[in-house]
Amino acid sequence: MLTLHVEVPYGSFRKSYARSLAETYPLPPPATVYGMLLSLVGEGFRRRHVGVRLALAFSGTYGNGSQRHSPFPRVAQTLRKLSRYKYGEAPKQSEQGNRPDYIETLCDIAFLCWVDSAQETNPEPRLEMRLREALETPEKITRYGVLSLGLSDDAVNDICLVQKPTGDWHRLKPSQEGSLELPVWVDHVGSRHTRWQRYELEREPVTPTEPPLEAYWTVIRPPA
Amino acid sequence: MGQRTTGYQLPNPLVYELGNPNFTVYHRAALGGLAATIEAWKKNPRLKPEGIAAEVDAGKVEIRWDKKLSDRQFIRRLLEASFRLTPDKLIDLPGHGIETDRDGLRLAIHTGLCGTFLQHNKMRPGEKTPRTLKVQVEGEEQEYLLTYKAVNSYAHQKAQGTRLLGGDDQAPLPPVALIPQSVVPGAMTGASELEGPPEEVLLLLYLMVGSAVFLLRSYRHESRAQYCLVIPDVKNLKSFARNLRQIAARGANFLTNGYPGRIAGGTEEAALRFLLALEAGNLTEEFGRSVSGCLAVAMGKAPWDRKQNYRTLVVRLGAEYPELEVFRAALQHFGKGRLLTSARGEAFPASPNPLPELIAANLAAERHWCADFIQRCQEKKDFEQLTFQKGGLAAMTKAIKDEDDQAIIAIFHEAWRMTMGALSERAQREGSDFTALVERERERTRNAILRAKTAEALAGWFLRFCADATKGAALAGMKRNAARVREFIFNPRNFERFQNLLLFALVSYMGREDNLSEGGIDA
């Protein structure tokens, strides 16, 4: 198991049913975090590390150290040009080009991500080992592009290994009665195979000194 | 769940569980709508579809049907019993439980649905000439003449655009069904359509039943939102179905009822109205709260396209806010939607009082409940209007829970009461008009509060104001809360809050001014 600290100044995680007005999930979904980890190690096959387990905890303080009013990152709504082909009336893209639309963006995202490869189903090397290698000896990794969390606009500011987390963190706990639904596997074509899991973000922050308990892990697994 | 090579077969019985991890808030609201529809069949058995039996419990809906029915026949019968029209060609959703004599509420919902789920003409073919309907608003003698577009049929009756129903009822279902905009507003087609398993798409058709639609008339000129969809995060199907029915059955005292009850100032106000209405239904309920929050979606014209209504704002609201009672008080006193009549005699919704909208927006954004109150006081005309609403403002004052807010407002009121006393004495002494003196003093005070640009300047003015009122002695409220008040007023972070609270205190003062104007002293 390893622990990563990730900082992303802003990011948009479009909800699966949001075509007009790019509504965002209130937190980076586990599926997106998994995608970022694959990009970090230069892996192009989504199923290469299925079975890996992730646990997330979100920062209780802003970048300047002041306490957050809410454990959720602030949401900003802005106007951007978006492809009609992808999100609007596809035939109009060639004649009329992109059109503006509102997009929601999460601001000042910082989280801890625990990665446990013990249950990965494919042969080694495991994601955990590859992540360690990518962060400790990046020259050995073959990858391209700036590392981003989801959209390529949403670049990662900092990602590093953490030995012992400090500060206040709100843990994301899978819960059948939870008020958040976050995708754990995304169908990028028609949403039919998108799989969600419900979560609760703990209101009381903690300083995690121990590895996450069993209840806090999310297994990354494609639909059967 | 069997999948044939030739198509797809629905499982019989069809079981929808609220705890399904793949259910989004849309699914949960739709499941609430399906549960409400099934419960409505129990209340009114003539609506129940033949050959179909359904059961609802707190977390699950189970539907069985006659094995002789094909999947498509089952879906057709289910939808026929769930999505109906009245003889006046208004949309009639049995799940809402709206009685025949409550056309006002039905018309508001019809108008809202035609502007959101069914905004495209092809989704609700109907008559070209608008019809009119006379609506009686409870508590008013006047009847209002409202126009609407009568519909001959609508998309949900035949699962239009989903592939669930076609020409041949014996043909198997496709393994993948589509989710068009009429099912989930804003789900535009794009290069590939949104898809889902047939049973999930069938469920999503009931989103229209489970969500509440409001007509928005915001006081903010920049706001182009016309409709608001409130999509509840249902957590108890049985109690949600009952609450939905109770909302429709209530009288004028409940603010989501009748046509005016569905007119709201802003998105957040609409959502909190609906949540409070559901909660009111729970007072005699053994199941506990039926929803854990909601998603409010504003829809209206976007600057780049005037032809259709786009989603322009999405707000998530919880069911609990520390100062929710302040909103409730504002809603009770100022929340009644208004209808105006044009020169041609047609009625139309007018902007309601802006206070519930302001407070709801603040609560939803986790700002102080009184944030931006200053905007309502900067124009003299707006400020003077506020001074005529003291009853409601006083009720809001009583509902405040925050101790700092209570202390500041109480001290200001105490000082203001003494100032009034001094003015009354002066009026008696000089034989001048007491009311004119009070208005002048109020205007002077408003300007002083508005002109303060720093926390220090505002705190200095406040202390001077209190000292002038008491002729140098200490106010009782100040004595009791000296440390708290000092810490609050000199903290630069509290400047805007302090300014808003003082303005609120100024307009919310409920003294015995009427008596004073007749010569009495309230000191």
Side-chain angles (χ1 to χ4, degrees):
Chain A
M1 193 204 71
L2 58 79
T3 312
L4 298 169
H5 175 265
V6 185
E7 268 181 32
V8 183
Y10 56 86
S12 183
F13 312 100
R14 184 188 278 264
K15 281 194 175 178
S16 303
Y17 290 154
R19 290 283 171 95
S20 86
L21 200 159
E23 186 189 347
T24 178
Y25 287 106
L27 296 169
T32 313
V33 176
Y34 173 63
M36 178 203 65
L37 298 179
L38 292 184
S39 167
L40 176 64
V41 299
E43 178 56 61
F45 293 97
R46 191 148 59 127
R47 291 172 187 248
R48 173 67 182 83
H49 292 290
V50 293
V52 69
R53 299 196 307 162
L54 304 179
L56 303 171
F58 292 85
S59 178
T61 53
Y62 290 113
N64 62 8
S66 61
Q67 203 70 25
R68 286 178 192 256
H69 298 296
S70 158
F72 292 98
R74 287 261 183 201
V75 182
Q77 185 172 312
T78 52
L79 201 59
R80 285 195 208 169
K81 283 195 296 182
L82 294 173
S83 159
R84 274 180 217 268
Y85 181 74
K86 207 168 174 188
Y87 300 119
E89 293 171 72
K92 289 187 180 173
Q93 180 70 28
S94 55
E95 302 163 24
Q96 299 179 14
N98 292 346
R99 72 173 165 84
D101 203 349
Y102 297 108
I103 183 163
E104 286 187 338
T105 306
L106 297 186
C107 305
D108 212 352
I109 306 161
F111 62 93
L112 292 176
C113 174
W114 288 268
V115 182
D116 175 20
S117 287
Q119 294 177 20
E120 276 189 39
T121 49
N122 287 322
E124 290 192 351
R126 299 277 167 86
L127 182 59
E128 222 179 289
M129 295 153 61
R130 293 179 73 183
L131 285 169
R132 199 174 288 280
E133 186 183 24
L135 293 168
E136 287 174 352
T137 51
E139 65 279 4
K140 291 185 181 172
I141 297 295
T142 308
R143 65 176 303 281
Y144 60 89
V146 173
L147 184 67
S148 59
L149 185 60
L151 296 174
S152 54
D153 297 6
D154 305 337
V156 173
N157 193 36
D158 182 34
I159 181 163
C160 57
L161 287 167
V162 178
Q163 294 305 322
K164 199 174 175 188
T166 54
D168 293 339
W169 300 90
H170 299 272
R171 293 177 299 185
L172 185 68
K173 186 177 185 185
S175 159
Q176 213 181 357
E177 282 81 40
S179 57
L180 303 168
E181 69 253 354
L182 298 171
V184 290
W185 192 270
V186 176
D187 177 356
H188 293 287
V189 180
S191 81
R192 181 166 49 120
H193 295 300
T194 298
R195 289 293 170 261
W196 291 268
Q197 190 163 330
R198 286 169 78 172
Y199 293 89
E200 205 59 77
L201 187 64
E202 291 180 345
R203 301 293 296 190
E204 288 304 315
V206 293
T207 303
T209 49
E210 301 290 322
L213 299 172
E214 276 302 303
Y216 289 85
W217 290 101
T218 298
V219 186
I220 301 296
R221 196 171 285 140
Chain B
M1 209 176 292
Q3 193 165 347
R4 294 175 181 167
T5 50
T6 51
Y8 186 84
Q9 191 174 18
L10 288 177
N12 185 359
L14 188 54
V15 181
Y16 293 112
E17 290 192 41
L18 205 51
N20 185 333
N22 282 316
F23 278 4
T24 64
V25 65
Y26 295 109
H27 293 87
R28 292 195 287 278
L31 193 47
L34 175 61
T37 306
I38 292 167
E39 293 290 274
W41 296 339
K42 284 184 190 160
K43 293 273 167 201
N44 193 350
R46 71 181 171 80
L47 295 176
K48 187 175 172 293
E50 203 184 320
I52 297 175
E55 279 305 320
V56 176
D57 68 29
K60 190 173 75 174
V61 166
E62 190 171 324
I63 311 173
R64 297 171 189 274
W65 60 96
D66 195 327
K67 289 197 174 116
K68 288 177 195 156
L69 295 176
S70 71
D71 283 356
R72 286 183 195 259
Q73 282 170 329
F74 154 68
I75 292 173
R76 196 179 295 283
R77 284 192 190 183
L78 189 74
L79 299 184
E80 274 171 11
S82 309
F83 301 99
R84 298 162 60 90
L85 284 170
T86 65
D88 287 330
K89 297 193 174 180
L90 286 168
I91 293 169
D92 176 26
L93 302 172
H96 284 178
I98 302 171
E99 298 295 332
T100 46
D101 60 339
R102 297 200 179 257
D103 274 343
L105 178 60
R106 195 191 309 281
L107 179 57
I109 292 173
H110 173 93
T111 309
L113 294 177
C114 288
T116 52
F117 286 91
L118 305 168
Q119 58 176 293
H120 199 287
N121 286 333
K122 286 182 183 170
M123 297 297 126
R124 47 169 173 88
E127 296 169 3
K128 283 190 178 168
T129 318
R131 286 196 189 195
T132 55
L133 187 74
K134 277 186 181 169
V135 170
Q136 180 81 50
V137 175
E138 284 185 63
E140 288 187 36
E141 285 186 7
Q142 186 192 349
E143 275 190 335
Y144 292 93
L145 195 65
L146 288 150
T147 57
Y148 70 97
K149 284 187 177 173
V151 301
N152 296 328
S153 65
Y154 54 101
H156 292 64
Q157 292 182 308
K158 45 205 173 203
Q160 195 174 332
T162 62
R163 293 189 191 157
L164 289 176
L165 290 180
D168 180 9
D169 272 358
Q170 296 303 325
L173 290 172
V176 180
L178 304 180
I179 304 170
Q181 271 213 77
S182 56
V183 173
V184 179
M188 297 173 86
T189 311
S192 62
E193 292 177 272
L194 286 170
E195 301 168 337
E199 63 269 30
E200 270 187 36
V201 178
L202 175 64
L203 173 65
L204 284 172
L205 285 167
Y206 288 85
L207 178 60
M208 189 160 99
V209 185
S211 50
V213 63
F214 284 79
L215 313 177
L216 293 190
R217 296 293 180 271
S218 174
Y219 73 92
R220 287 176 290 192
H221 297 300
E222 74 273 17
S223 170
R224 293 171 193 273
Q226 291 175 305
Y227 303 99
C228 175
L229 287 178
V230 183
I231 298 160
D233 194 351
V234 177
K235 64 175 201 178
N236 186 318
L237 296 171
K238 195 105 180 161
S239 74
F240 178 74
R242 185 182 293 193
N243 290 349
L244 213 55
R245 210 165 47 245
Q246 283 169 338
I247 287 175
R250 282 182 199 140
N253 291 337
F254 289 87
L255 291 161
T256 46
N257 207 346
Y259 195 98
R262 291 301 174 113
I263 304 168
T267 314
E268 299 88 349
E269 181 195 336
L272 284 182
R273 261 171 188 259
F274 186 61
L275 290 180
L276 286 181
L278 285 175
E279 196 189 317
N282 269 341
L283 293 176
T284 54
E285 184 65 60
E286 71 270 31
F287 300 106
R289 190 172 273 155
S290 62
V291 299
S292 59
C294 68
L295 193 71
V297 181
M299 293 187 76
K301 298 278 183 277
W304 56 90
D305 187 353
R306 303 275 173 186
K307 286 182 189 160
Q308 62 171 309
N309 289 324
Y310 285 90
R311 304 190 324 156
T312 53
L313 182 69
V314 178
V315 187
R316 298 152 201 87
L317 288 103
E320 285 172 19
Y321 291 96
E323 296 289 4
L324 191 60
E325 289 307 312
V326 179
F327 173 75
R328 195 195 295 268
L331 193 63
Q332 275 167 354
H333 286 84
F334 309 123
K336 195 175 179 192
R338 290 186 305 141
L339 285 169
L340 295 179
T341 308
S342 71
R344 288 194 301 173
E346 289 172 6
F348 59 91
S351 301
N353 188 303
L355 281 180
E357 179 183 354
L358 176 77
I359 293 163
N362 287 334
L363 295 184
E366 299 193 355
R367 290 191 292 262
H368 183 253
W369 64 271
C370 201
D372 282 339
F373 189 77
I374 190 171
Q375 305 292 343
R376 306 301 314 152
C377 300
Q378 271 170 338
E379 295 290 328
K380 195 174 174 188
K381 191 180 70 178
D382 294 337
F383 178 76
E384 281 174 355
Q385 273 183 359
L386 282 173
T387 59
F388 292 111
Q389 301 168 354
K390 286 181 180 171
L393 295 170
M396 287 166 66
T397 310
K398 277 186 192 161
I400 296 168
K401 283 185 186 155
D402 187 278
E403 290 182 6
D404 287 347
D405 293 1
Q406 283 176 346
I408 295 295
I409 292 174
I411 291 168
F412 183 91
H413 281 173
E414 199 181 346
W416 185 253
R417 187 162 52 82
M418 290 183 163
T419 308
M420 297 286 100
L423 288 178
S424 174
E425 279 175 17
R426 187 178 143 195
Q428 281 183 329
R429 198 172 56 244
E430 297 175 358
S432 50
D433 181 3
F434 172 72
T435 312
L437 285 177
V438 171
E439 276 176 21
R440 207 172 306 138
E441 183 63 24
R442 190 184 287 127
E443 182 60 12
R444 216 160 58 90
T445 309
R446 176 179 80 101
N447 283 325
I449 298 169
L450 288 176
R451 280 181 195 148
K453 298 293 177 217
T454 61
E456 207 172 308
L458 190 61
W461 172 85
F462 180 64
L463 293 176
R464 208 165 43 249
F465 170 74
C466 293
D468 288 350
T470 57
K471 306 270 189 302
L475 291 163
M478 190 72 102
K479 271 187 203 164
R480 276 197 305 274
N481 298 293
R484 174 189 295 279
V485 171
R486 203 178 310 117
E487 196 179 325
F488 181 87
I489 67 176
F490 286 108
N491 184 348
R493 281 177 176 274
N494 291 334
F495 168 60
E496 286 174 3
R497 179 175 162 191
F498 185 29
Q499 199 172 28
N500 286 315
L501 282 173
L502 289 178
L503 288 166
F504 180 82
L506 179 60
V507 289
S508 66
Y509 175 76
M510 273 279 275
R512 277 172 274 164
E513 282 172 38
D514 290 347
N515 296 339
L516 285 169
S517 64
E518 291 164 20
I521 300 172
D522 182 22

